[in-house]
Amino acid sequence: MKNIFTYTLLLILTFSCNQNDFSDTEMFFLTDEASYRVNDNFEITAIVSPKSGEKKIRIKKNLDNLKISFHASSTEQEFSQELKKHFIEGPSLTTDESQYIDEFTISKTQPFKKTFKGLISESKESIILEIPELNIIDSVAKSELLVNPKLTIKGNFQTIFSVKEEYFTPKDINILIE
């Protein structure tokens, strides 16, 4: 009896930990404008929609499993991700995870949508993009944007209780420097 309980528990943990919340979804960004200038505010909306039917996704309440970065299109840069401040190895057997995680049922007509407000500023040599709600401060060299004003927004969601990541379709915007 003890062995059956142990094997059942291991199977439950294995399948719940390996669930990829964002597989079979379409993920993309929308922005409120196509072009921005220094000192402009901007809005970026993250949208997650299932490819078909309905799907449940789980997102950390503090949005720690969402990463967004900005890259100058004139250079070849790989998507970089900062190290996690919090690491969750698997579902707790004794605590209620709902205090840390929101679960959403999404469909084509009711996708997950979250809009973030940001600000574009500048320093002597860089253009700085900030999204305070996500604690994101990213910068791009002004010299790169003078060559090509196109900036690419990249991002991903990391699945809860696993290291699997699903990537957003990159979105291009223009940053006009005077």
Side-chain angles (χ1 to χ4, degrees):
M1 182 69 168
K2 187 176 177 182
N3 286 338
I4 293 173
F5 176 73
T6 303
Y7 289 125
T8 304
L9 185 60
L10 284 173
L11 285 172
I12 291 170
L13 287 174
T14 300
F15 288 111
S16 66
C17 290
N18 289 331
Q19 180 182 355
N20 186 344
D21 291 309
F22 303 99
S23 67
D24 298 322
T25 61
E26 297 170 335
M27 300 182 359
F28 57 95
F29 295 117
L30 295 177
T31 55
D32 59 331
E33 301 287 335
S35 297
Y36 299 94
R37 296 186 183 280
V38 174
N39 296 322
D40 278 353
N41 291 313
F42 67 92
E43 289 185 1
I44 181 170
T45 302
I47 299 177
V48 181
S49 172
K51 291 183 179 175
S52 63
E54 286 188 347
K55 181 163 180 68
K56 286 189 181 191
I57 59 171
R58 294 175 294 172
I59 298 173
K60 292 183 182 179
K61 288 185 179 191
N62 65 3
L63 299 169
D64 194 34
N65 62 323
L66 170 62
K67 301 298 177 200
I68 297 175
S69 62
F70 301 88
H71 301 276
S73 297
S74 62
T75 60
E76 286 293 320
Q77 292 182 323
E78 291 294 317
F79 179 75
S80 60
Q81 180 175 332
E82 70 181 67
L83 291 173
K84 291 278 191 193
K85 294 178 184 170
H86 306 283
F87 181 75
I88 299 176
E89 292 180 356
S92 171
L93 297 176
T94 59
T95 59
D96 180 16
E97 65 185 38
S98 65
Q99 71 183 38
Y100 304 109
I101 298 168
D102 283 328
E103 186 171 280
F104 301 91
T105 301
I106 58 172
S107 67
K108 284 282 194 190
T109 57
Q110 295 287 319
F112 171 81
K113 289 183 181 181
K114 176 70 175 160
T115 300
F116 304 98
K117 295 179 186 254
L119 173 67
I120 300 169
S121 59
E122 69 180 318
S123 67
K124 186 176 181 180
E125 297 179 6
S126 299
I127 297 297
I128 301 163
L129 298 109
E130 296 180 59
I131 304 175
E133 185 176 353
L134 295 174
N135 296 319
I136 291 174
I137 299 175
D138 212 345
S139 64
V140 177
K142 282 184 187 179
S143 59
E144 293 183 42
L145 291 173
L146 288 171
V147 172
N148 182 359
K150 190 186 299 183
L151 193 70
T152 302
I153 304 169
K154 296 183 180 184
N156 71 34
F157 260 122
Q158 184 173 18
T159 298
I160 304 292
F161 307 128
S162 125
V163 294
K164 292 180 183 177
E165 297 173 342
E166 295 292 331
Y167 293 88
F168 284 82
T169 301
K171 169 80 175 162
D172 291 334
I173 59 173
N174 291 312
I175 304 294
L176 307 173
I177 302 174
E178 297 175 4

